[in-house]
């Protein structure tokens, strides 16, 4: 034990504290963060893949009430009959689609015998840098649409604004948009597929790629294990030197 007092020196105490903090963050924060992203990505990929072969269902079968949402049915193809509410329309800004900046166009849609849902009609590219181009109005009267069910996003602390005569938001948060347009909206929204009434340029499906999140999570676990082992090795080497 007479060879251990060196561990009480400031340098060794600081090294031990750094290793403990790094190990704690690696195993309890960084690794779960990456593994959680891998789980969410894998779930979304499975939902997209399943939707490619599943037959469309009426939107009222998954969103039966005004305040309903269907996170387990994301990307499911649905059909809806009703009418657009062009007065309740907003743009999503700062999007990048096909490598170019874009605005996504969101319009409320009153489903016959069902809830009012937010419909992502597609996207338009800005003109002259960031200017909003002319946007085709949705059709009037009753129409039938095909779309994919999507989960509402979280706006965080980003506040909407009014530019070029349009309400503009940063994320598709149905609660925020409902308050902004003063229109009750269901918790999930619809994303139009190609060639639909009121549709613009249809948004592409995400690539079915799991990404590097699993390997990153495993790496952080390995770092969290190796760090204290390395500290132990340095302590052992110092003890041997002092014999």
């Amino acid at each position: 034990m007479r060879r251990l007092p060196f561990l009480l020196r400031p340098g060794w105490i600081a090294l031990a504290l750094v290793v403990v903090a790094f190990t704690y963050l690696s195993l309890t924060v960084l690794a779960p963060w990456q593994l959680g992203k891998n789980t969410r990505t894998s779930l979304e990929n499975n939902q997209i893949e399943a939707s490619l072969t599943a037959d469309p269902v009426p939107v009222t079968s998954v969103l039966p009430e005004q305040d309903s949402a269907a996170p387990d049915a994301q990307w499911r193809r649905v059909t809806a009959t009703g009418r657009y509410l062009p007065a309740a329309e907003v743009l999503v800004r700062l999007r990048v689609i096909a490598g170019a900046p874009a605005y996504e166009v969101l319009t409320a849609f009153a489903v016959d015998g069902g809830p009012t849902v937010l419909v992502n009609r597609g996207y338009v590219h800005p003109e002259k840098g960031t200017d909003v181009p002319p946007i085709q109005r949705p059709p009037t009267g009753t129409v039938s649409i095909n779309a994919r069910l999507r989960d509402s996003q979280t706006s965080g602390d980003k506040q909407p604004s009014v530019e070029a005569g349009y309400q503009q938001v940063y994320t598709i948060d149905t609660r925020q948009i409902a308050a902004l347009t003063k229109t009750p909206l269901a918790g999930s929204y619809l994303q139009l597929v190609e060639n639909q009434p009121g549709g613009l340029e249809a948004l592409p499906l995400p690539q079915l790629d799991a990404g590097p999140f699993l390997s990153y999570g495993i790496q952080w676990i390995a770092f969290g294990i190796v760090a204290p082992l390395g500290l132990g090795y340095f302590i052992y080497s110092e003890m041997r030197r002092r014999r």
Side-chain angles (χ1 to χ4, degrees), residues 46-113:
N46 292 336
Q47 290 175 323
I48 294 173
E49 190 171 9
S51 74
L52 297 177
T53 56
D55 293 330
V57 298
V59 69
T60 50
S61 67
V62 288
L63 297 176
E65 300 176 354
Q66 184 59 66
D67 59 349
S68 56
D72 295 334
Q74 181 172 211
W75 297 106
R76 182 69 186 270
R77 291 190 300 166
V78 296
T79 60
T81 298
R83 59 188 180 86
Y84 285 103
L85 306 177
E89 184 168 86
V90 301
L91 303 183
V92 189
R93 60 186 303 163
L94 301 182
R95 296 301 213 204
V96 177
I97 302 173
Y103 290 99
E104 294 181 23
V105 182
L106 313 176
T107 309
F109 186 88
V111 178
D112 291 347

Side-chain angles (χ1 to χ4, degrees), residues 1 21 23 29 34 36 45 47 53 64 70 84 105 113 115 133 140 144 153 176 180 197 201 210 237 241:
M1 296 298 293
T23 301
V29 178
Q34 292 295 331
N45 288 344
Q47 290 175 323
T53 56
Y84 285 103
V105 182
T140 59
S144 295
Q153 300 169 356
Q176 182 190 60
L180 190 64
E201 289 290 332
S237 297
R241 190 184 68 82

Side-chain angles (χ1 to χ4, degrees), residues 16 18 23 47 82 86 92 100 106 128 130 147 155 157 194 204 207 211 224:
V18 169
T23 301
Q47 290 175 323
V92 189
L106 313 176
K128 300 177 182 178
T130 60
S155 60
D157 58 355
E194 297 83 358
Q207 294 183 352

Side-chain angles (χ1 to χ4, degrees), residues 227-237:
L229 293 178
L231 177 62
Y233 174 77
F234 290 141
I235 294 174
Y236 173 73
S237 297

Side-chain angles (χ1 to χ4, degrees), residues 104-240:
E104 294 181 23
V105 182
L106 313 176
T107 309
F109 186 88
V111 178
D112 291 347
T116 297
V117 296
L118 189 66
V119 172
N120 188 329
R121 298 202 287 131
Y123 69 92
V124 294
H125 290 299
E127 296 178 343
K128 300 177 182 178
T130 60
D131 291 349
V132 178
I135 297 175
Q136 180 182 352
R137 301 286 288 175
T140 59
T142 301
V143 295
S144 295
I145 59 175
N146 284 268
R148 294 181 181 275
L149 200 66
R150 297 296 311 275
D151 289 344
S152 175
Q153 300 169 356
T154 302
S155 60
D157 58 355
K158 294 182 177 180
Q159 298 300 314
S161 61
V162 179
E163 295 185 28
Y166 288 94
Q167 298 272 13
Q168 298 189 19
V169 295
Y170 292 89
T171 57
I172 307 178
D173 185 335
T174 56
R175 289 188 178 182
Q176 182 190 60
I177 296 172
L180 190 64
T181 61
K182 298 179 174 57
T183 304
L185 296 170
S188 299
Y189 70 95
L190 305 184
Q191 178 176 304
L192 290 184
V193 300
E194 297 83 358
N195 302 320
Q196 297 301 307
L200 303 171
E201 289 290 332
L203 292 164
L205 288 175
Q207 294 183 352
L208 298 181
D209 183 4
F213 308 122
L214 178 60
S215 62
Y216 287 169
I218 294 174
Q219 287 175 11
W220 282 118
I221 292 175
F223 292 155
I225 295 173
V226 169
L229 293 178
L231 177 62
Y233 174 77
F234 290 141
I235 294 174
Y236 173 73
S237 297
E238 183 68 14
M239 291 176 61
R240 288 190 62 184

